[in-house]
Amino acid sequence: MPENISVKVEDKLFQNRYKVDEGNPHVCIAPHTVPSETLLTLVNVCPAGCYQKADDGTVEVIPDGCMECGTCRVLTAGSGDLDWNYPRGGYGIQFKFG
Ligand code: SF4
């Protein structure tokens, strides 16, 4: 590879496609009024930006664009904060270049 060529992560991610399974989110957050530290962490660590802090202080997830990296699943393992499943067949991320 020539030395002066750089590729931005955003440019690579733009190549991917995502098919939303309307009404069947594959990641759900347990109802809460005060988010755990782990949920707050997800706002900063999800590479797809699926987690957001809402105006009422809770954490919301919008899994559209989820890359199925599993980071949130690992961080919340055993906490009961998250219900995580792979999307149904035919839905979710479609990686163009593997
Ligand atoms: S699996 Fe990865 S990309 Fe998907 S919501 Fe969790 S942290 Fe974000």
Side-chain angles (χ1 to χ4, degrees):
M1 174 183 268
E3 287 185 27
N4 293 329
I5 293 178
S6 64
V7 179
K8 294 179 182 175
V9 171
E10 291 80 9
D11 292 341
K12 296 290 282 184
L13 293 177
F14 183 73
Q15 302 293 329
N16 299 326
R17 294 294 174 259
Y18 193 90
K19 187 172 182 184
V20 177
D21 189 1
E22 295 288 349
N24 293 300
H26 70 284
V27 182
C28 297
I29 295 176
H32 62 280
T33 52
V34 178
S36 66
E37 286 297 319
T38 304
L39 283 179
L40 290 170
T41 299
L42 297 182
V43 174
N44 296 316
V45 301
C46 172
C50 294
Y51 295 89
Q52 299 173 355
K53 194 168 180 187
D55 291 340
D56 65 0
T58 61
V59 173
E60 301 174 334
V61 61
I62 301 173
D64 300 0
C66 167
M67 295 183 283
E68 300 171 26
C69 70
T71 301
C72 58
R73 186 179 190 184
V74 170
L75 288 177
T76 59
S79 70
D81 280 338
L82 217 59
D83 181 20
W84 196 103
N85 298 283
Y86 283 107
R88 295 191 301 160
Y91 294 97
I93 190 82
Q94 297 170 1
F95 293 103
K96 189 166 185 180
F97 294 114

